[in-house]
Amino acid sequence: PMNTQSTQSTQTLGHGSYKAVTPALLSALREVVGEVNVKTDEATIQEFGKDWTEDLYSAPEVGVFPGSTDEVSAVLRLASEHRVPVVARGGGTGLSGGAIPLRGGIVLSTKRMAEILEIDHANSVAVVQPGVITQVLQEAVEAEGLFYPPDPASRGSCAIGGNVAECAGGPRCVKYGITRDYVLGLEAVLASGEVMRLGGKLLKDVTGYDLVRLIVGSEGTLAIVTEVTLKLLPLPTETRTLLAPFESLDAAAAAVAGIFQAGIIPTTCELLGQRALHAAEAHLGKQFPAEIHDAEASLLLEVDGNDSDVVEAEAERLGELCLDKLGATDLLLAGTPERARELWAIRRAMGEAVKSLGDYREYDVSVPRARIPDAFRAIDAVLEPLGVRALSYGHAGDGNLHVNVLRDELSQERWEEVLAAAGPGIISRIVALGGVISGEHGIGIIQRELLPLQFGEAELRLMRGIKQVFDPQGILNPGKLIPDAPGTDAPSA
């Protein structure tokens, strides 16, 4: 899918010193995957030069669509032999430029590898290929009374392989955890074409280094995943959804800590800033009641379980806590599943609503939950002197905030000045609060130069060393995640 944002200020990104795709390589690729699965047409090149990240574009030379692990292995052997970069691509919904082919070369799409291979009830696992759409997997296992909790906002478009590459999260992480908590095993192909099988249908495994968890979140820079074994849970049958408005963003953020201190662990705890709420309402053509619409911030809360009486009591306790002790000015309880879906439609529309407002830069920082009020104050201290506004929302229950800085009417020159100051300013303050650069969107292109604000040279040297061991030629997703070593001119591996 193409980025829906205006492309007037699209940046064309430069290629490094890798070899070009030659007619001989194209011919060899066609022999491996079939003529129709090697594409150089303009539509494919345009699509594969973007993901859902703001305004970035960099064209590949060819799109390749393997249909099996053997074909992936053969493609990577050819790429290694010719020293041509390869970028794996799932649904193309990433928000850090992770799937953009910064150095040209091959985009390897997993669209043809989209089969749910097994739903194993005895072991409560699913075995899937990387091109399976997340929502398709969720619906398939739910039909059998099982549950795959990670639920990124793009779950209807994103693929499991991309979720693994970025260690995707979503609203339910506060109770259920993130993608890495569900990946039990992987089949993955190294740049050399060697196939690895790691982990399996195991809940305990301390045999050697944990390469599974190393690859999860590595943004396609270490290996290309071709099969995933995922832990499943019993499907919760009861859910209650609430929305609590607050007079200020600070009050809503402070209430988050109060909920957990009271011993309640909600399934979700989402913070919706007023500007982001209004943007989503406008995008969907719907509006909340005035009590919610006029609030500076609201918390979208959910509890779930399998006992109706217990879940109902938990929801009542949560609502009373918000109203009586945590400063909520009102409470909206979704009395039906349809009403709950309406509330979630507003939340899930926020990303697209931000894009519809023009150029922006998103920071998906993460801080310890109790520091959320401090994080918002720190971000304001950076943005107010720059004269820009931000739409804020996020997974407050696990400290993951999405802060979208808007360009509005700024000139391109002024916008670049704002970004040059805003990124380091925000990240420095977040790290000082015990936080990190990214909670779930990854580092990719747009944040790699900020990594030294969080890590020292020792940590960065180890990361570069790991990359070198897995991918000596640096052909897997070059220019992503890890900044170049000081004093080097070579393109990053």
Side-chain angles (χ1 to χ4, degrees):
M2 297 295 288
N3 192 326
T4 57
Q5 185 176 333
S6 167
T7 58
Q8 291 181 353
S9 62
T10 294
Q11 303 172 44
T12 299
L13 303 170
H15 294 175
S17 58
Y18 292 89
K19 300 293 180 64
V21 174
T22 62
L25 177 56
L26 286 175
S27 177
L29 290 169
R30 292 184 180 110
E31 288 184 16
V32 169
V33 301
E35 180 123 10
V36 298
N37 297 313
V38 177
K39 298 185 179 182
T40 57
D41 60 286
E42 183 177 352
T44 299
I45 297 303
Q46 287 289 322
E47 178 183 356
F48 284 4
K50 297 179 71 68
D51 60 10
W52 284 9
T53 309
E54 297 146 28
D55 60 351
L56 303 180
Y57 177 81
S58 183
E61 294 162 86
V62 60
V64 178
F65 298 76
S68 68
T69 300
D70 286 345
E71 290 184 0
V72 172
S73 174
V75 169
L76 287 176
R77 283 198 303 271
L78 287 168
S80 184
E81 178 185 335
H82 289 261
R83 201 170 188 272
V84 170
V86 180
V87 177
R89 182 182 178 94
T93 61
L95 295 170
S96 61
I100 295 175
L102 186 60
R103 315 293 184 194
I106 298 168
V107 167
L108 187 151
S109 170
T110 61
K111 282 185 178 179
R112 292 180 60 219
M113 301 177 68
E115 185 178 349
I116 298 173
L117 300 172
E118 182 183 9
I119 298 175
D120 180 346
H121 283 263
N123 290 300
S124 296
V125 301
V127 182
V128 305
Q129 291 184 311
V132 172
I133 299 301
T134 305
Q135 186 173 342
V136 170
L137 171 65
Q138 289 173 327
E139 291 174 352
V141 300
E142 286 170 15
E144 301 195 26
L146 296 167
F147 184 40
Y148 178 66
D151 62 332
S154 58
R155 70 190 187 103
S157 305
C158 63
I160 290 295
N163 290 177
V164 170
E166 299 293 332
C167 194
R172 290 196 290 243
C173 291
V174 59
K175 179 176 180 179
Y176 290 107
I178 56 180
T179 297
R180 74 160 58 95
D181 299 314
Y182 293 86
V183 179
L184 300 177
L186 291 173
E187 180 184 76
V189 185
L190 294 171
S192 63
E194 295 170 276
V195 178
M196 304 183 294
R197 291 201 66 91
L198 308 169
K201 298 178 180 182
L202 303 160
L203 296 178
K204 296 177 76 174
D205 178 2
V206 294
T207 311
Y209 292 122
D210 192 345
L211 298 180
V212 171
R213 290 175 76 89
L214 178 60
I215 290 174
V216 176
S218 63
E219 303 189 22
T221 63
L222 301 181
I224 292 181
V225 171
T226 52
E227 184 182 292
V228 189
T229 301
L230 296 167
K231 179 175 69 175
L232 304 176
L233 301 178
L235 177 67
T237 56
E238 301 290 336
T239 301
R240 301 292 184 274
T241 306
L242 309 88
L243 191 71
F246 292 82
E247 290 183 350
S248 69
L249 194 63
D250 195 74
V256 173
I259 290 170
F260 289 88
Q261 288 167 3
I264 299 174
I265 302 178
T267 311
T268 58
C269 180
E270 298 287 289
L271 190 150
L272 317 179
Q274 185 184 64
R275 290 173 181 168
L277 179 69
H278 289 177
E281 288 175 332
H283 186 68
L284 292 175
K286 298 179 180 180
Q287 184 172 313
F288 277 124
E291 296 85 351
I292 306 296
H293 179 81
D294 295 339
E296 187 173 318
S298 299
L299 293 181
L300 178 59
L301 302 160
E302 202 162 75
V303 292
D304 70 3
N306 289 299
D307 185 310
S308 179
D309 291 340
V310 171
V311 174
E312 189 70 37
E314 187 90 331
E316 290 179 5
R317 182 179 169 221
L318 180 56
E320 290 170 359
L321 178 69
C322 289
L323 283 171
D324 297 341
K325 295 184 178 179
L326 299 180
T329 58
D330 205 336
L331 190 72
L332 178 64
L333 174 64
T336 65
E338 292 75 22
R339 184 57 175 151
R341 283 193 289 270
E342 289 178 9
L343 298 183
W344 276 106
I346 294 274
R347 167 61 184 91
R348 292 190 182 278
M350 286 185 173
E352 286 301 312
V354 169
K355 293 176 186 178
S356 72
L357 298 175
D359 292 350
Y360 69 100
R361 174 59 54 86
E362 181 170 8
Y363 300 94
D364 80 306
V365 297
S366 187
V367 296
R369 191 165 51 219
R371 304 307 297 269
I372 291 174
D374 300 324
F376 278 120
R377 283 191 286 268
I379 291 165
D380 286 344
V382 174
L383 297 182
E384 286 177 2
L386 295 173
V388 291
R389 64 188 182 118
L391 303 189
S392 299
Y393 56 92
H395 316 307
D398 52 30
N400 184 196
L401 308 176
H402 300 308
V403 180
N404 297 274
V405 181
L406 303 181
R407 176 178 172 180
D408 289 330
E409 303 302 320
L410 295 181
S411 68
Q412 182 64 30
E413 180 181 8
R414 178 56 185 156
W415 177 232
E416 291 175 1
E417 291 173 352
V418 165
L419 292 181
I426 289 173
I427 298 307
S428 295
R429 286 164 173 79
I430 291 298
V431 170
L433 293 173
V436 296
I437 295 172
S438 177
E440 61 184 5
H441 291 172
I443 300 301
I445 297 170
I446 63 171
Q447 301 197 104
R448 67 188 288 261
E449 299 305 327
L450 297 175
L451 241 63
L453 296 176
Q454 180 178 332
F455 296 113
E457 187 52 39
E459 294 98 320
L460 293 171
R461 185 174 64 251
L462 286 172
M463 292 181 192
R464 296 185 187 108
I466 291 169
K467 171 66 172 173
Q468 178 68 22
V469 169
F470 272 79
D471 180 20
Q473 294 189 92
I475 66 169
L476 290 182
N477 211 7
K480 310 291 176 60
L481 186 58
I482 307 170
D484 297 331
T488 59
D489 296 324
S492 172

